[in-house]
Structures are given as C-alpha cells and as structure tokens.
Amino acid sequence: MKHLLNITDYSKEDLQELIDKALYIISSPFAYSHSCEGRKLATLFFEPSTRTRLSFEAAMLELGGRVISVTGPGGSSVTKGETLADTARTVSCYADVIAVRHPLAGSARAMANSSAIPIINAGDGGHYHPTQTLADILTIYREKGSLGGLRIGICGDLLYGRTVHSLIDAMSRYEGNSFVLISPKELTVPAYYTEKLQEAGIPFVQTNSLDEALPEIDMLYMTRIQRERFDDPAEYDRLAGSYILDAARMKAASKDCIVLHPLPRVDEISTDFDSDPRAVYFTQAFNGKIMREALILKLLAGKDHPDNTDISPEGEKLFTDDSLACTNSKCVCTHERGLRKEFYTDKHGVVRCAYCDQPVRE
Ligand code: NCD
C-alpha cells in the first residue's frame, strides 16, 4: 500500500516481511546504511512526542537519508489556517515520505488524500497508531517467538488509547489469541472493537480488575490514561491512577508474562519493576526504531504500491453522500475545510465516517 494509515493496511504477510527485515537489521546494523541516500523524511508532529518522532528520525538517519521536520502545534502554517490537505501537497514538493502526528482522528487520511508521497500515520488523535503497533509486534515476536496463541491483557485507557486500538486490530489476526480488556468502566474500548472481536469469534473478557487478570495472561500491555483526550479535567482526575503495576503485584503473574507499555508512563508502572526481566518497555522503544527503518525501506522501495485512500480499515469501498454528516468533534471531518467527506458501510450495514470510523447519521 502507498500509505500506512491503519495497521490493517498491511496483511499478516506484510507484517512478517517487516519483522524479518527488522531482525536482519538487528543482526546486520549497517546493511542498509546507504539505502536512503538522497531521500528525505518529513516529520510533522502537531502533538508532543519523544519516541515516535525521534525514532522515525533516527531510523531515516540510520538508512543514510535526511530529515526535515515541524514540531508543535504552532510550528507550521496550519496555525495560520492552512488545511492539512494543502500542507501535504506542499511537503510533497520537499520530501519523499511524511510521518504525521495530529490530535484529530482521520488527520493522516485527510493528508493522504492529497499527498503525492506516502503518508505514515504516527498517531491521529485517540484513533490509531499503527507504527507503535509495529514496535509492539516485533517486541512480542522477539520475546515470545510467535504472535499467536497468546492471552493478551490490555490495561488502562482503552477508550482513548490509540495504541490499544491498533494493537487489537493487529493481534486479532493471529490464530489462538484471546484478550482480557482491563479498564475502568468509563474507559472501555469503543463498541467498534468489541463488535469486531465478536464478529471474528475471538474470545475476550472485559473487567476492571487487574489483579484478577494477572494470573491468567501471557502478556500485559499497560497504557497511560490519556489526559489530553478528556473533555472534562475532573473526570481525568477521578480516573488517573486507576491502575498501578509494581513488583509486588506482578508476583501474581506468570514468570513468562512480559509487560509492554508504549510509553510515556506517568505512574501506571512503578520503577521498582523496571529491573524485572519481564519488563520489556524500553526494548520496545528500541524495537520501534528498527521497525520504522523496515517500514521506510518498504514504503520507499517502489512507486507501484496501490493507493489505499479509497478503502476503509476493513477494506470496504468508500463513497461520498452529501446527505450524510460525521458529527464527531474529535474527527478531522468537523474541522478541515474543503475535505471530501467519505463513508463506508460496515459488515453490519452501519454507515461509518471513513476518517474516524464512527457511525454517522443522515
Ligand atoms: C503513545 C501515543 O502517543 O499514543 N506514545 C507513543 O507513541 N509511544 C502512548 C501515549 O502517549 O500514552
């Protein structure tokens, strides 16, 4: 595919190809050190980032390429009222690939619609974060030797956590996986994900008890409560600190139960657990750079990748219809001027916005 907007843009075979390439890079760190000479990556980060932006930039530098970047909400002409579409068209004149992070769901798709070069979604609001999932799956593969047959615990902010959404989409594809979704009831995964799991016949339970889940799982994916996505700060204050994993608590888990976290952490994992061999979150951050190298190589390898801006995350064909409107205030649709409004009909006949995947009304 030309762009990476959702993790489902890649088949299991594509993901394995990236993992294999990443493993090769780990064993031969200089094998591709000239592969991107003369090529440029543009990183456009309208939201804070340490790992994602720096690992993208380090990845491109390791490949012999160069980097140009915009950071912070005020760092580009978007602040002057320029659309993301015009920004993408402009940056296409200066770079060969764009990695974008933006607070609105569907922002990467909005850019892809008018970009001449590949767009990588580096996090679009509380929606998706496919390249974090690349880091996650390489970590799981290296630690567990397989991406299937796992009881996967995911804990924290499952409502707004974009890494969670992309991880569920990816891990749902592998045989024998089941999910234990651990969150306060206010922060359960959007119904969209539980419906998809049900539809695919993948076992899952939803609980608010981390302690009950710990003995049952093969891996735990901890997440931060996403303060910046809350409309009501009091609600965040009430839910902050819902889960704190520490060395004492982890005694209840199996000796092979690895703990991942996309980072940054606030207080959801105590530093007293960091020296435990099951704590793999900093290896995960390293793996993110390697997978981004593999991704950049893949996207820049050829010009014949099909344009995937006309299909939904599950492959449904998009359509336009002026009588429909997305009303999600966190979707790019309700902010970006001149955006072509696009929709798709999911497997249950529900019409959804192509940018944020929320149901729309006529
Ligand atoms: C995550 C993100 O930005 O969604 N961080 C990251 O990219 N590694 C998780 C988070 O911010 O909680």
Side-chain angles (χ1 to χ4, degrees):
M1 294 295 180
K2 179 174 172 186
H3 309 287
L4 177 58
L5 304 179
N6 327 295
I7 197 67
T8 51
D9 288 331
Y10 283 160
S11 65
K12 267 164 67 176
E13 291 70 32
D14 292 323
L15 296 178
Q16 193 58 47
E17 179 195 312
L18 290 170
I19 290 173
D20 291 343
K21 179 68 64 90
L23 295 174
Y24 181 68
I25 294 171
I26 292 169
S27 66
S28 309
F30 302 108
Y32 298 99
S33 49
H34 299 286
S35 299
C36 289
E37 270 171 8
R39 317 296 292 275
K40 279 184 252 90
L41 163 74
T43 53
L44 310 183
F45 276 61
F46 300 96
E47 272 193 341
S49 170
T50 299
R51 272 150 295 273
T52 305
R53 184 170 69 81
L54 294 182
S55 68
F56 260 116
E57 297 186 355
M60 190 51 158
L61 296 173
E62 301 264 5
L63 297 170
R66 292 171 188 232
V67 176
I68 52 176
S69 62
V70 162
T71 53
S76 78
S77 289
V78 170
T79 317
K80 300 181 188 169
E82 186 166 47
T83 59
L84 290 170
D86 283 356
T87 305
R89 213 165 284 153
T90 306
V91 179
S92 298
C93 305
Y94 308 141
D96 300 281
V97 55
I98 295 173
V100 60
R101 168 171 291 188
H102 191 278
L104 293 172
S107 45
R109 180 178 284 279
M111 293 187 88
N113 283 345
S114 59
S115 174
I117 60 176
I119 297 286
I120 302 170
N121 181 3
D124 61 331
H127 190 218
Y128 293 132
H129 194 347
T131 66
Q132 179 60 47
T133 306
L134 297 181
D136 303 341
I137 63 171
L138 178 61
T139 308
I140 298 165
Y141 190 83
R142 291 182 74 193
E143 299 294 330
K144 292 284 183 190
S146 166
L147 293 171
L150 297 169
R151 287 167 300 175
I152 302 167
I154 308 183
C155 178
D157 188 344
L158 312 190
L159 175 62
Y160 297 122
R162 54 194 174 194
T163 63
V164 171
H165 304 156
S166 292
L167 184 69
I168 293 175
D169 277 346
M171 296 306 284
S172 298
R173 299 170 148 202
Y174 295 92
E175 287 285 308
N177 285 339
S178 58
F179 294 89
V180 183
L181 303 172
I182 310 147
S183 71
K185 64 179 185 324
E186 296 84 351
L187 298 177
T188 56
V189 275
Y192 180 59
Y193 295 94
T194 48
E195 283 162 18
K196 283 204 279 188
L197 290 171
Q198 258 152 9
E199 163 110 10
I202 297 164
F204 71 94
V205 289
Q206 292 178 282
T207 174
N208 61 11
S209 171
L210 176 58
D211 290 325
E212 280 174 28
L214 277 176
E216 307 289 319
I217 54 182
D218 300 311
M219 58 164 274
L220 176 64
Y221 194 89
M222 282 301 281
T223 62
R224 174 179 71 88
I225 310 289
Q226 306 279 297
R227 172 185 225 138
E228 65 276 31
R229 310 276 174 238
F230 281 75
D231 294 325
D232 176 6
E235 177 77 344
Y236 169 79
D237 290 340
R238 204 170 61 72
L239 295 169
S242 291
Y243 299 100
I244 296 178
L245 189 77
D246 59 14
R249 206 166 222 172
M250 271 302 285
K251 288 199 173 108
S254 93
K255 64 173 188 3
D256 301 322
C257 177
I258 54 170
V259 177
L260 292 87
H261 191 308
L263 302 177
R265 68 175 149 188
V266 182
D267 55 3
E268 58 280 353
I269 302 182
S270 162
T271 52
D272 76 355
F273 182 65
D274 291 356
S275 55
D276 189 300
R278 295 171 296 179
V280 297
Y281 24 92
F282 288 105
T283 319
Q284 193 182 348
F286 168 79
N287 288 336
K289 184 192 76 167
I290 306 294
M291 278 302 249
R292 289 180 176 108
E293 284 185 51
L295 174 67
I296 293 169
L297 286 170
K298 182 176 173 68
L299 289 173
L300 294 184
K303 295 219 174 291
D304 54 348
H305 296 310
D307 191 334
N308 48 325
T309 48
D310 60 351
I311 51 165
S312 78
E314 301 300 319
E316 289 100 354
K317 193 98 195 105
L318 306 189
F319 60 86
T320 55
D321 182 336
D322 291 341
S323 68
L324 298 175
C326 170
T327 53
N328 176 4
S329 64
K330 295 184 161 83
C331 176
V332 69
C333 248
T334 53
H335 297 261
E336 169 106 342
R337 278 173 286 110
L339 186 69
R340 188 173 70 234
K341 305 281 177 353
E342 291 185 295
F343 308 94
Y344 65 93
T345 308
D346 75 10
K347 292 185 183 65
H348 301 281
V350 177
V351 177
R352 295 181 181 271
C353 169
Y355 295 91
C356 68
D357 300 300
Q358 294 293 310
V360 298
R361 54 176 178 74
E362 294 190 35

